[in-house]
Amino acid sequence: MIAYYVHHHGSGHVHRATAIARALRDEVIGLSSLPAPAGWPGRWITLPDDADGTDPHRDDVTAGATLHWAPRHHPGLRERMALLSATLRDDAVRLLVADVSVEVALLARLHGVPVVVVAQPGWRTDRAHRTAYDLAEAIIAPWPRRPAPDWPTAWPAKTVHVGALSRFDGRVRPPVGTQRRALVLWGSGGLSVSAARLHAAAAATPEWRWDIAGPARPGDSPASPPPNLQHHGWVTDPWPLLGEAGVVVTHAGQNALAEVAAARRPAVVIPQPRPFDEQEATAEALVHAGLGVVLPSWPAASRWPVVLTQAHSRGGDWAAWSRGDGAARAAAVLHDLARPR
């Protein structure tokens, strides 16, 4: 049996985990603060919250910079770790996948359970990340192979680059035609650009239809949008909108880019601030690979006609980023490591 820990921030981790779990030939048990996702193929244990009421300074959440999140005297953390230990003590658990948590990876290894870490882009050589990556049997990188000059030499040797993987891999891709439809695809954390700037971009490109998929930013004015813009709110399954899009405007999060790549859509990519410069690192990799139109920030309204035309002309050939079999390749690695020795 494989235990699979899923981080609760955003939706990308759980979408990726579900795709890999469904490709596994092994029994799998999910572990997360999130509720069980639709389509999860095995058992699921919902873990208690370990952040409520926490003051990072008072509660020394990093344990003197040796960990990322372990607040002192937190009852939720204590119960969470107890539930994880109860799972890990089962002899049937042959492997734990950490996507992602340094603390869970360390706990599993202290139970004698081998660990596979799902890597994240960005700068990961701090003390806590080094602990998790060093102890891992293998590292799964959900992006194509690329230089990692900041990584210690031992990490690349045990890393399997499976490419971007999406819950939509394997679906029939509608062809990209001449349709002038721009899809703004943002994450569950909400839009980082104001409604006013979205409206201005749409107003500056009246020949384009704009679809907005993602929660509105708190405090945004309910001003009437231009006639060529429709805000759909949070969309559980954006595949139909992706199929209609001539260009997708998105951030540089792994899940969003994997979904754009699965649909093979032209893209405008605007990285957002994240810990460890995660999205900046991904955006840099896209630039080097010549994929999409990568911008440092949301452009002025007057630039959008050129930006959309440039992205559409560049096309949506994402084969170098995502072969479409990333979940199956990751599952094969896990199956091999979970075999009795």
Side-chain angles (χ1 to χ4, degrees):
M1 179 167 65
I2 295 174
Y4 203 125
Y5 175 80
V6 184
H7 193 49
H8 56 280
H9 284 174
S11 57
H13 298 284
V14 72
H15 288 326
R16 177 166 60 206
T18 303
I20 294 173
R22 295 183 68 177
L24 277 169
R25 291 173 280 167
D26 306 81
E27 182 182 357
V28 60
I29 179 169
L31 303 156
S32 179
S33 301
L34 296 170
W40 184 261
R43 285 198 295 141
W44 185 273
I45 296 175
T46 302
L47 302 171
D49 177 83
D50 62 352
D52 183 49
T54 300
D55 180 319
H57 299 291
R58 178 197 66 201
D59 301 324
D60 184 24
V61 297
T62 68
T66 63
L67 301 170
H68 286 153
W69 192 263
R72 291 183 294 202
H73 308 302
H74 195 288
L77 176 65
R78 189 176 296 116
E79 180 63 19
R80 180 187 187 88
M81 290 303 183
L83 285 170
L84 287 165
S85 288
T87 302
L88 294 167
R89 69 182 294 187
D90 187 337
D91 287 341
V93 176
R94 306 290 305 176
L95 185 72
L96 177 126
V97 184
D99 183 7
V100 289
S101 168
V102 169
E103 295 75 26
V104 173
L106 182 57
L107 181 70
R109 193 62 188 85
L110 287 171
H111 280 75
V113 176
V115 172
V116 171
V117 167
V118 180
Q120 294 284 99
W123 302 103
R124 305 288 170 174
T125 54
D126 59 282
R127 187 174 176 185
H129 272 112
R130 288 186 73 117
T131 296
Y133 285 36
D134 284 346
L135 66 79
E137 302 286 318
I139 299 169
I140 291 177
W143 57 78
R145 186 178 298 276
R146 61 178 185 252
D150 60 313
W151 277 25
T153 55
W155 293 2
K158 59 181 178 181
T159 297
V160 181
H161 293 82
V162 300
L165 61 97
S166 166
R167 55 182 166 156
F168 298 140
D169 287 337
R171 291 198 189 184
V172 177
R173 303 173 186 131
V176 179
T178 59
Q179 65 268 34
R180 295 194 171 190
R181 295 189 67 160
L183 170 63
V184 179
L185 183 67
W186 234 248
S188 57
L191 296 169
S192 67
V193 60
S194 68
R197 299 194 76 185
L198 284 169
H199 293 182
T205 52
E207 69 278 15
W208 286 78
R209 158 71 184 271
W210 286 68
D211 294 292
I212 315 299
R217 198 170 70 170
D220 267 346
S221 167
S224 297
N228 61 329
L229 182 146
Q230 181 177 358
H231 201 304
H232 299 267
W234 174 250
V235 178
T236 302
D237 182 357
W239 186 255
L241 289 172
L242 281 164
E244 296 170 351
V247 172
V248 180
V249 180
T250 189
H251 53 73
Q254 290 183 80
N255 184 64
L257 289 176
E259 294 187 346
V260 172
R264 298 296 195 258
R265 261 24 197 185
V268 176
V269 181
I270 305 172
Q272 302 299 294
R274 292 293 186 272
F276 306 103
D277 292 337
E278 174 181 326
Q279 292 202 11
E280 287 83 354
T282 299
E284 183 178 345
L286 293 177
V287 170
H288 288 163
L291 294 170
V293 172
V294 180
L295 302 174
S297 60
W298 190 269
S302 60
R303 290 189 57 203
W304 275 106
V306 172
V307 168
L308 292 177
T309 299
Q310 182 183 3
H312 194 270
S313 299
R314 182 164 292 187
D317 183 3
W318 288 84
W321 190 260
S322 168
R323 298 193 337 187
D325 61 353
R329 296 173 70 194
V333 173
L334 301 182
H335 175 76
D336 181 64
L337 290 172
R339 288 188 295 114
R341 303 296 179 181

